[in-house]
Amino acid sequence: MHRIRIILTFSFLVCLLPLAAQSLSPQASISLLTYSPGDQLYTTFGHSALRVKDPAQSLDIVFNYGTFDFDEAGFYFKFMRGKLNYKLSAYDYRYVELEQDRRQMDVREQVFNLNPTQTQALFDFLNINLLPENRFYLYDFFFDNCATRIPDALEDVLGNDFQLDTTFIPGNERMTFRELISVYLAPQPWGDFGIDLALGAPIDIKATPRQYMFLPDYLAEGLAGSKIIQQGQAEPFVRSDEIILSGTKEVVPPPEYTQPRWMFSLLFGTFLLWAILTRKLKPAYWPDMVLLTLYSLLGILLLFLWFATDHQATHHNWNLLWAHPLHLITVVLLARKKKGIGTKLYLLTNGFLYLGIIACWDMVPQEYHPAAIPLVLLLAFRYFYQYHQINLRQQVPRVSARATS
């Protein structure tokens, strides 16, 4: 979620420190750091990390499960295929302050109510995870990320003494994974549209309160209501909760007219106006051939994400009903000089198909992005338009012959 380029420069050096052999003093504490969402797509969902602070030993280290190596061979291809390894890194807390100063984000700290034995055990666990053979893991945005790794670690170390709160989201208020990320993507409408296109039906199920914790804000809320057993008594897991670094930067959404639904509506309106203005001219096929090629390329990408990647969230993508490679068949048919009854039937069938998708918009087992409506309407319109134009062109010779007889 959160990529700290400054920190990455130093994290490799800190990872080499012999932290695992270090015993913490009774004054040591471990806390959750929650970074507020930023104005860049990669910071949209915020970030989570653990801070280990021991004033008696001048130790102040942050353990971050959300880092990766930009220089890894095939980085972007691995990311697309869901095969990119993330890793646990450790670095000095002062780099959090440097990043906060640059990004002007809020940093919330929740200090855990742990006794010295529990604190040492969690610190040792983190250092074992920091070893070269353990620090890497296969990243999954929804189910295995910088936030989800933290309650997993707490449960592994503290066992039954840790009681994670899963009641902070009432059952009647639970949202789907898609709805959850859409809330955060509201200031990033194009990012929201792109993610809705790429992610399929698996994210349209309602998330459990535990699953909510893939988002750092909800992890913080879950821990705020959690309990820890101390000397046989259930006590609040969080001892103190405060904003330790305050930012001033506001996330401002772009103007309404630059958002996808308006831009695609403008595209639809442009094709409609062009059809009206050129209705008496010889029809041109190349604009639709270009348009349908773009739809086909999008469909190829969606098929790749479904069948050639390990991203479970990109499987079963019903956007393929309208954005699919079969539009290339239409491109070939339009490129042919002779367009017979088969071509007309194919165009007419597709036109009704895309009107049917609009009519059944809420019945598809996946939540479509509203900005896709003008794109599907555009498909229906252009298929009907080309069917009509071919009919007109084929009728002209017969009319001329009748007039001269």
Side-chain angles (χ1 to χ4, degrees):
M1 289 183 182
H2 178 53
R3 324 300 191 243
I4 306 177
R5 292 178 180 269
I6 299 175
I7 291 172
L8 287 175
T9 308
F10 300 93
S11 62
F12 298 104
L13 298 177
V14 180
C15 286
L16 299 177
L17 297 177
L19 299 175
Q22 188 167 350
S23 296
L24 299 175
S25 75
Q27 289 77 42
S29 64
I30 299 181
S31 57
L32 173 70
L33 299 181
T34 303
Y35 301 57
S36 64
D39 58 355
Q40 300 298 316
L41 186 58
Y42 70 89
T43 63
T44 296
F45 304 100
H47 179 60
S48 298
L50 290 173
R51 179 186 186 186
V52 179
K53 186 177 181 180
D54 189 351
Q57 303 190 54
S58 299
L59 180 71
D60 199 351
I61 298 295
V62 174
F63 289 85
N64 182 358
Y65 279 101
T67 56
F68 51 78
D69 186 359
F70 286 97
D71 296 324
E72 182 177 347
F75 172 83
Y76 292 104
F77 188 65
K78 288 180 179 179
F79 180 80
M80 285 192 64
R81 294 196 62 200
K83 297 181 180 294
L84 182 65
N85 282 325
Y86 274 50
K87 64 183 177 182
L88 173 64
S89 296
Y91 43 83
D92 195 283
Y93 172 75
R94 68 180 181 273
Y95 298 118
V96 174
E97 296 177 337
L98 287 174
E99 180 68 5
Q100 188 275 341
D101 184 63
R102 184 180 71 85
R103 273 186 47 204
Q104 287 299 299
M105 59 189 176
D106 288 342
V107 179
R108 175 184 180 183
E109 182 176 36
Q110 294 168 290
V111 180
F112 301 157
N113 182 21
L114 303 177
N115 60 42
T117 301
Q118 293 167 332
T119 301
Q120 184 68 51
L122 183 54
F123 181 60
D124 292 342
F125 176 89
L126 292 171
N127 280 290
I128 291 173
N129 271 241
L130 195 60
L131 295 174
E133 62 270 25
N134 299 330
R135 70 171 64 133
F136 294 95
Y137 70 97
L138 193 60
Y139 174 82
D140 185 290
F141 175 75
F142 292 102
F143 302 110
D144 199 356
N145 65 22
C146 66
T148 64
R149 287 254 153 177
I150 291 173
D152 290 344
L154 294 174
E155 290 173 337
D156 286 345
V157 173
L158 303 175
N160 294 331
D161 289 339
F162 173 63
Q163 300 173 357
L164 181 65
D165 179 25
T166 57
T167 64
F168 64 98
I169 301 293
N172 60 344
E173 296 180 9
R174 285 167 49 197
M175 293 188 286
T176 67
F177 288 97
R178 191 185 303 276
E179 289 168 340
L180 281 169
I181 61 177
S182 291
V183 171
Y184 283 82
L185 287 167
Q188 304 277 348
W190 284 98
D192 184 35
F193 174 71
I195 288 175
D196 267 354
L197 277 184
L199 302 186
I203 69 166
D204 287 304
I205 60 172
K206 290 187 180 295
T208 66
R210 173 61 184 265
Q211 290 171 334
Y212 265 64
M213 296 181 193
F214 81 93
L215 292 166
D217 286 340
Y218 287 106
L219 170 62
E221 291 306 309
L223 293 187
S226 297
K227 301 293 183 181
I228 184 72
I229 304 300
Q230 299 288 12
Q231 298 179 346
Q233 298 294 322
E235 299 180 4
F237 180 71
V238 174
R239 188 173 65 207
S240 66
D241 189 340
E242 61 179 327
I243 302 295
I244 57 172
L245 298 173
S246 297
T248 58
K249 193 171 185 178
E250 294 184 10
V251 180
V252 180
E256 186 75 14
Y257 62 85
T258 65
Q259 298 190 15
R261 58 177 178 171
W262 295 111
M263 297 300 290
F264 295 143
S265 296
L266 178 62
L267 178 66
F268 176 80
T270 300
F271 269 88
L272 180 61
L273 180 62
W274 176 69
I276 294 173
L277 295 177
T278 61
R279 65 185 184 278
K280 294 183 179 180
L281 301 178
K282 181 179 178 180
Y285 297 114
W286 68 265
D288 286 324
M289 293 169 67
V290 172
L291 181 69
L292 294 177
T293 298
L294 293 176
Y295 277 86
S296 298
L297 292 175
L298 175 59
I300 291 171
L301 175 61
L302 298 183
L303 284 174
F304 172 82
L305 291 173
W306 182 345
F307 294 103
T309 76
D310 292 337
H311 294 294
Q312 296 301 311
T314 60
H315 295 183
H316 307 287
N317 193 334
W318 289 81
N319 282 302
L320 280 160
L321 285 177
W322 59 272
H324 54 72
L326 295 181
H327 290 300
L328 291 175
I329 295 176
T330 311
V331 173
V332 173
L333 292 176
L334 292 178
R336 295 171 59 183
K337 290 185 178 180
K338 293 185 178 181
K339 300 173 178 61
I341 185 65
T343 298
K344 292 195 296 181
L345 182 61
Y346 185 79
L347 294 173
L348 191 62
T349 301
N350 275 275
F352 281 114
L353 170 63
Y354 301 121
L355 281 184
I357 292 175
I358 295 295
C360 302
W361 194 259
D362 294 328
M363 299 173 61
V364 176
Q366 174 177 328
E367 184 180 345
Y368 283 154
H369 195 286
I373 292 177
L375 292 178
V376 182
L377 282 175
L378 179 59
L379 274 175
F381 168 60
R382 297 314 297 176
Y383 272 98
F384 283 130
Y385 174 82
Q386 290 297 348
Y387 169 80
H388 177 69
Q389 290 299 317
I390 292 172
N391 259 347
L392 286 180
R393 294 190 70 184
Q394 291 179 346
Q395 290 171 7
V396 169
R398 291 197 294 271
V399 172
S400 299
R402 195 177 297 116
T404 56
S405 60

